[in-house]
């Protein structure tokens, strides 16, 4: 399967714990995006990378959130000191940089529940 | 601010009936518009996209959408729905500089037998 993969698919944690999610984009896709989706809402942009460079972070991304993309391959999203409000689906997407009409492909998401 | 709005939160349609989902956009220039579908617990799958040219866009799974500048709309249609079309549908627009997607709140489609 050559699509975008995310691990884990589900995560249950207690408030105050740290969690880390991983995203493996489609091979050779330069751009990688993270979105967050809460119940009943559309996905909201969090941050994106071009290769290993993080080019933009949304105001939704508080200081407790950090994302990395070492070597421009997979990416990790870490949430420190989780809060109940962090409960959401975290989606990763990737696209080639070739042009405007390239498709952004989404992974299956990681569903986080903070108790 | 640029945005897309999906006025219908939930639509119920009978199997075999036609379906139309509304999407209105707010953008000065011609926007890049998309429709994605999300099945329960799954990620998003692209149905179709519009950048320019022919205003009637054909997508996968028998869906089509029509861009109407005069109405600032990009409505999604399917002539005959199948039970497997039950899902959540999102309209989105894309910024041309960083290709970031901004989504509407979504429309949940229920298909009854």
């Amino acid at each position: 399967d050559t699509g975008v993969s995310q691990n884990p698919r589900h995560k249950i944690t207690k408030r105050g714990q740290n969690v880390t999610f991983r995203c493996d984009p489609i091979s050779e896709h330069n751009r990688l995006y993270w979105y967050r989706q809460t119940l009943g809402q559309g996905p909201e942009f969090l941050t994106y990378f071009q290769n290993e460079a993080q080019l933009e972070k949304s105001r939704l991304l508080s200081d407790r959130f950090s994302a990395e993309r070492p070597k421009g391959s997979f990416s990790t999203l870490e949430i420190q000191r989780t809060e109940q409000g962090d409960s959401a689906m975290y989606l990763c997407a990737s696209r080639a940089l070739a042009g405007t009409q390239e498709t952004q492909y989404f992974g299956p998401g990681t569903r986080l529940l903070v108790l | 601010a640029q945005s897309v709005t999906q006025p219908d939160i939930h639509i119920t349609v009978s199997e075999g009936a036609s379906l139309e989902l509304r999407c209105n956009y707010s953008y000065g220039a011609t926007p890049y518009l998309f429709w994605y579908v999300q099945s329960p617990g799954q990620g998003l799958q692209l149905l179709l996209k519009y950048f320019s040219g022919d205003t009637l866009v054909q997508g996968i799974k028998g869906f089509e959408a029509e861009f109407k500048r005069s109405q600032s709309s990009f409505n999604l249609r399917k002539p005959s729905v199948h039970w497997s079309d039950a899902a959540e549908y999102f309209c989105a627009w894309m910024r041309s500089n960083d290709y970031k997607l901004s989504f509407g709140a979504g429309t949940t489609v229920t298909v009854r037998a």
Side-chain angles (χ1 to χ4, degrees), chain B:
Chain B
Q2 298 93 338
S3 66
V4 290
T5 304
Q6 296 179 248
D8 305 305
I9 296 173
H10 190 195
I11 286 180
T12 299
V13 61
S14 297
E15 192 169 16
S18 63
L19 174 68
E20 181 167 12
L21 303 181
R22 296 185 291 164
C23 174
N24 298 310
Y25 68 88
S26 170
Y27 193 73
T30 299
Y32 301 135
L33 295 166
F34 303 77
W35 276 99
Y36 279 84
V37 62
Q38 185 177 37
S39 298
Q42 301 300 309
L44 297 162
Q45 182 181 24
L46 179 67
L47 288 175
L48 46 80
K49 54 190 176 182
Y50 174 77
F51 292 97
S52 64
D54 193 346
T55 56
L56 186 63
V57 181
Q58 301 297 320
I60 63 170
K61 303 186 179 187
F63 285 93
E64 66 177 25
E66 186 170 13
F67 174 73
K68 292 185 177 180
R69 183 186 299 279
S70 61
Q71 298 178 18
S72 298
S73 68
F74 186 58
N75 294 348
L76 182 72
R77 299 192 295 251
K78 185 169 184 177
S80 176
V81 298
H82 186 261
W83 64 266
S84 60
D85 293 322
E88 190 151 21
Y89 292 79
F90 294 96
C91 181
W93 72 274
M94 184 183 76
R95 292 197 322 198
S96 60
N97 55 346
D98 55 18
Y99 311 128
K100 184 176 77 175
L101 292 170
S102 296
F103 290 85
T107 298
T108 302
V109 172
T110 298
V111 181
R112 61 183 173 216

Side-chain angles (χ1 to χ4, degrees), chain A residues 17 23 30 43-44 46-47 59-60 74 76-77 79 90 94 109:
Chain A
Q17 297 296 304
C23 170
N30 307 90
E44 296 173 291
L46 291 179
T47 187
R59 284 179 237 172
L60 293 175
F74 70 92
T76 58
L77 178 67
I79 309 175
Y90 290 84
S94 71

Side-chain angles (χ1 to χ4, degrees), chain A residues 1 9 27-28 30 41 43 45 49-50 56 62 81 85 89 96 100 113:
Chain A
D1 182 36
R9 294 290 307 277
S27 179
E28 298 179 357
N30 307 90
Q41 298 299 318
F45 168 78
F49 294 82
Q50 180 168 310
E56 184 179 346
S62 74
R81 305 181 303 282
M89 172 82 91
T100 301
L113 177 60

